[in-house]
Amino acid sequence: GQQLNQSPQSMFIQEGEDVSMNCTSSSIFNTWLWYKQDPGEGPVLLIALYKAGELTSNGRLTAQFGITRKDSFLNISASIPSDVGIYFCAGRGNYGGSQGNLIFGKGTKLSVKP
Amino acid sequence: EPEVTQTPSHQVTQMGQEVILRCVPISNHLYFYWYRQILGQKVEFLVSFYNNEISEKSEIFDDQFSVERPDGSNFTLKIRSTKLEDSAMYFCASSGSARVSYNEQFFGPGTRLTVL
């Protein structure tokens, strides 16, 4: 089945640093979504991307939908302690009869040192 | 801001018992989903539901699982005879009807299911 490769698996950075993580797939997606999950809670939608090449920001977060439709990246600028959590990419296809369920990456665990 | 709610937050059950996990999706949403997340792993799709029927299900969603929308607000996941490997966080999600909101799935806080 479709798989998303998300990297890095974990990051340990200093407060104020910029962060970059990405997802790649062997299949194309029509939508890329980025979620953040805090311990014991559900994923919270951060950014949704709909068109190849699209670049979208949400505060200090910026995400891009790759031109090939097989990848996406998320950048966080000037990280702060509350950025700590696990970030998941998710892709949504809509072909082969699929109604477009989300396929998730394995997550990037972000730790921020004050 | 409207949100997806789930009950209970934690369910402990004996192997072989039936459990029902409950969700109240965002009120004007039309598409409903269940996902699960085994501890430390990625979120996995189980089933999607639209217009009072299952629209898609994964290979995880076997005959032991069923979903129901018994009234205008609740959306339930039933596991008929729980197994140890069913222990996981179960997330309900919903999305709207317009093109943009259809793609954006909003997740509830989850129910942690522990099968002993």
Side-chain angles (χ1 to χ4, degrees):
Chain A
Q2 294 171 295
Q3 297 226 15
L4 292 183
N5 299 308
Q6 187 171 351
S7 65
Q9 278 189 330
S10 62
M11 304 181 74
F12 191 84
I13 63 167
Q14 200 77 26
E15 183 178 357
E17 287 184 358
D18 296 344
V19 171
S20 186
M21 60 192 78
N22 69 82
C23 266
T24 60
S25 171
S26 56
S27 307
I28 61 172
F29 287 100
N30 294 325
T31 304
W32 283 93
L33 303 160
W34 284 92
Y35 287 87
K36 182 188 178 210
Q37 186 178 31
D38 291 329
E41 298 185 16
V44 174
L45 181 63
L46 300 173
I47 292 180
L49 302 159
Y50 299 101
K51 293 194 302 188
E54 179 181 353
L55 185 73
T56 297
S57 293
N58 178 7
R60 293 178 295 107
L61 278 60
T62 301
Q64 185 159 29
F65 193 143
I67 291 291
T68 64
R69 295 166 65 194
K70 292 181 179 180
D71 64 322
S72 177
F73 73 74
L74 174 71
N75 285 345
I76 305 172
S77 63
S79 57
I80 59 178
S82 62
D83 290 334
V84 163
I86 302 178
Y87 291 80
F88 289 97
C89 62
R92 186 169 202 173
N94 193 22
Y95 48 88
S98 165
Q99 294 299 308
N101 68 80
L102 292 180
I103 296 166
F104 279 80
K106 292 186 177 180
T108 295
K109 184 175 181 180
L110 179 64
S111 303
V112 179
K113 186 177 180 182
Chain B
E1 190 171 323
E3 57 185 22
V4 177
T5 59
Q6 290 185 243
T7 54
S9 57
H10 191 188
Q11 174 92 46
V12 181
T13 189
Q14 295 289 327
M15 191 170 58
Q17 295 294 305
E18 174 184 287
V19 294
I20 298 176
L21 311 182
R22 291 182 167 79
C23 168
V24 179
I26 294 173
S27 63
N28 63 343
H29 282 183
L30 300 179
Y31 298 87
F32 314 117
Y33 313 84
W34 284 100
Y35 291 81
R36 80 169 186 193
Q37 184 180 33
I38 294 170
L39 186 64
Q41 298 188 24
K42 66 179 181 178
V43 178
E44 299 175 291
F45 169 75
L46 292 178
V47 66
S48 59
F49 191 87
Y50 171 71
N51 201 25
N52 283 320
E53 62 182 19
I54 290 174
S55 49
E56 189 174 14
K57 58 184 181 180
S58 71
E59 62 274 9
I60 302 169
F61 194 87
D62 61 23
D63 292 344
Q64 293 299 313
F65 291 88
S66 62
V67 289
E68 196 177 36
R69 186 150 164 87
D71 53 43
S73 60
N74 290 284
F75 180 51
T76 62
L77 174 69
K78 182 194 290 187
I79 309 175
R80 239 179 296 281
S81 177
T82 50
K83 303 187 287 283
L84 294 176
E85 53 265 38
D86 293 329
S87 294
M89 282 287 281
Y90 287 80
F91 293 108
C92 173
S94 70
S95 64
S97 57
R99 189 191 75 85
V100 166
S101 59
Y102 162 71
N103 283 290
E104 296 176 12
Q105 294 182 21
F106 294 88
F107 284 73
T111 292
R112 178 170 296 284
L113 176 65
T114 302
V115 182
L116 302 176

